[in-house]
Amino acid sequence: MPYAYLNPEFDGHELEAVFFNKKVNKSAIIAIHRKIQGRTIGGFRIYPYPTFHAARTDVLRLSAGMTRKAVMANLPVGGAKGVLIANPDCDKNEALYQFIAECINALGGQYVTAEDAGFHYPDAFEVAKYTRHIAGLANNIDEMPFPDLSNISDLTSQMTALGVFEGIRVCLRRVFGCNSCEGRSFAVQGLGKTGYPIARFIHQAGGRLVIADIDQEKTKRASAEFGGSCSVVSIEEIFASHVDVFVPCSLGGITIAEAQYRIVAGSANNALLSMEDGDALHQKGILYAPDYIINSGGLRKVYFETLNGGYNHGALLHTIFEEIPKALETIFDHSEKKNLPAHRTAEKIYQEKLAALN
Ligand code: NAD
């Protein structure tokens, strides 16, 4: 049996490349899931994976998710991802940025990278000194919904957050008959580049927040800003929150057993670890917004940057406001009609769209 098949997340990926750099003593993996029109886009994640196997599992899942995201957003580009086994809080330096660029350059332009968890706008800016195969650099503060968050959240992530918020409103309407956040409660897990702006959208729309993050500076900042309509809980307690909506915005893999919400909808890639987890949510009557549809705002933005005509913010906003809600409505309509859980409906439509491309 080929080695690749030994990891259950292997999905016929076109290429996996493993890199090691002696100078920084770090390893990275880039996985290309599918090339469409000869190219792929997908972020680069920096995370202190406990084992190489864990990193490989993550990159295989994330890259397959990127193809799903692009195909469902009708973007003519395939999915890929990079992961670097390192601590994003203390391992970053010039040599590390050079190493990341070397990995990307080794693929000769088939893979265009962007930000992800642990790899933020200032990092992308540093890596861009050594590679041109990087997007996410268009970061005009005036175009941000929340310019004052520019020290913790870039334009790409705020576009992801905007799409997630619009998607949450679709879910609220499906479940409660009204898309208002007033009087509703939301558990936001992770207050990073996407989670913080999502929490602020919810707060501004009148929602009550329960928040958790491993970084206490972030929960302190959020608690000070959102005041009495926000409570902070531990990263374990957040799963058992009695809220209307669970909003996963960290590294995915939500704990289903404790789920007692009506909706799960957030920015996290791989929010579900398995199709069976999605079935369990469905059986509990919880509406799940497929991650690769609701969180596609950032990919849409990065894709717009790579177009010949250059970045057009107005056109991007149009696709976020129009296409993300429409895509979710389509999935939920089909799901209801066929009594097939939303995540399985999304997978079925993705497979059909992918087959039509081949
Ligand atoms: P980030 O690194 O900026 O934020 C992640 C946050 O989660 C951090 O504040 C971190 O401290 C916190 N965290 C980590 N483990 C946690 C835990 N166990 N419990 C609670 N909090 C925890 O990353 P991000 O860019 O906001 O990405 C978050 C998720 O959204 C990731 O899954 C990413 O792949 C996905 N995503 C991001 C974008 C984007 O535009 N940035 C686009 C699509 C999807």
Side-chain angles (χ1 to χ4, degrees), residues 172 176 178 180-186 202 206-209 244-245:
L172 288 171
F176 298 109
C178 165
S180 170
C181 295
E182 293 270 357
R184 300 272 163 231
S185 51
F186 302 79
I202 292 169
R208 195 167 53 76
L209 289 165
D244 297 310
V245 189

Side-chain angles (χ1 to χ4, degrees), residues 44-82:
F44 210 91
R45 177 172 288 189
I46 303 181
Y47 188 73
Y49 296 96
T51 61
F52 182 81
H53 176 77
R56 181 168 179 240
T57 299
D58 208 28
V59 79
L60 289 174
R61 287 175 59 89
L62 289 165
S63 52
M66 288 310 295
T67 307
R68 282 162 175 75
K69 203 178 299 195
V71 167
M72 295 303 270
N74 300 313
L75 302 178
V77 63
K81 205 85 181 187

Side-chain angles (χ1 to χ4, degrees), residues 11 33-36 67-68 70-72 74 346-358:
D11 180 38
H33 179 244
R34 289 284 182 288
K35 286 199 287 283
I36 294 178
T67 307
R68 282 162 175 75
V71 167
M72 295 303 270
N74 300 313
E347 177 66 17
K348 186 169 174 288
I349 296 176
Y350 157 71
Q351 292 294 351
E352 287 165 2
K353 286 173 85 112
L354 185 68
L357 288 174
N358 292 331

Side-chain angles (χ1 to χ4, degrees), residues 297-313:
L299 173 64
R300 289 167 190 272
K301 186 263 185 182
V302 163
Y303 176 75
F304 264 71
E305 276 184 63
T306 65
L307 290 177
N308 282 339
Y311 180 62
N312 179 331
H313 191 63

